């Protein structure tokens, strides 16, 4: 649990670790909470359990019924990661600085280069 609590955010889907993070101080973003054919992962169950996207679990917790697809996750990260900076975890600044760099492949080697220099 301590590792979850020290993360910038935890990217999750429905399951035990998500519930543990939800009930703790751990930040989280979770998708695909609705699973067709599974009663405990139905929309009705999630609503009565307080796990709908409209339920408030804290400023650093985001629940979504959207599928866990790359475009959805990336859009949510772009919207929510700035809020995570408020938690005051130093690594967050490193995560945001990656947007200013790109991974370049040259001669079989990988190197991070600044986008501002190009």
């Amino acid at each position: 649990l301590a590792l979850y609590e020290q993360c910038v955010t935890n990217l999750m889907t429905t399951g035990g670790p998500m519930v543990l993070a939800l009930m703790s101080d751990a930040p989280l973003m979770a998708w695909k909470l609705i699973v067709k054919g599974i009663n405990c992962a139905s929309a009705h169950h999630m609503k009565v359990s307080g796990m709908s996207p409209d339920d408030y679990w804290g400023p650093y917790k985001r629940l979504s019924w959207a599928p866990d697809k790359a475009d959805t996750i990336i859009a949510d990260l772009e919207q929510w990661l700035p809020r995570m900076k408020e938690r005051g975890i130093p690594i967050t600044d490193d995560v945001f600085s990656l947007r200013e760099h790109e991974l370049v492949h040259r001669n079989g080697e990988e190197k991070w280069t600044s986008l501002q220099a190009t």
Side-chain angles (χ1 to χ4, degrees), residues 69-86:
K69 303 288 185 191
D71 57 340
T72 303
I73 293 170
I74 291 167
D76 284 350
L77 283 170
E78 288 178 339
Q79 178 183 353
W80 282 76
L81 273 179
R83 177 177 294 176
M84 300 302 177
K85 288 182 85 170
E86 298 169 5

Side-chain angles (χ1 to χ4, degrees), residues 6-100:
Q6 293 303 310
C7 289
V8 173
T9 192
N10 295 280
L11 308 181
M12 302 179 153
T13 61
T14 191
M18 185 212 68
V19 174
L20 177 67
L22 196 59
M23 302 291 181
S24 72
D25 289 334
L28 82 112
M29 298 174 75
W31 298 268
K32 196 181 175 185
L33 299 183
I34 306 301
V35 181
K36 187 177 179 179
I38 306 295
N39 288 336
C40 65
S42 68
H44 172 74
H45 180 79
M46 291 298 175
K47 285 179 187 176
V48 299
S49 298
M51 293 188 197
S52 84
D54 297 329
D55 292 315
Y56 181 77
W57 283 86
Y60 309 115
K61 298 184 188 292
R62 164 94 166 98
L63 300 178
S64 174
W65 290 359
D68 55 345
K69 303 288 185 191
D71 57 340
T72 303
I73 293 170
I74 291 167
D76 284 350
L77 283 170
E78 288 178 339
Q79 178 183 353
W80 282 76
L81 273 179
R83 177 177 294 176
M84 300 302 177
K85 288 182 85 170
E86 298 169 5
R87 294 187 63 231
I89 296 177
I91 195 169
T92 307
D93 292 333
D94 293 337
V95 171
F96 282 94
S97 71
L98 291 178
R99 289 178 126 332
E100 300 168 3

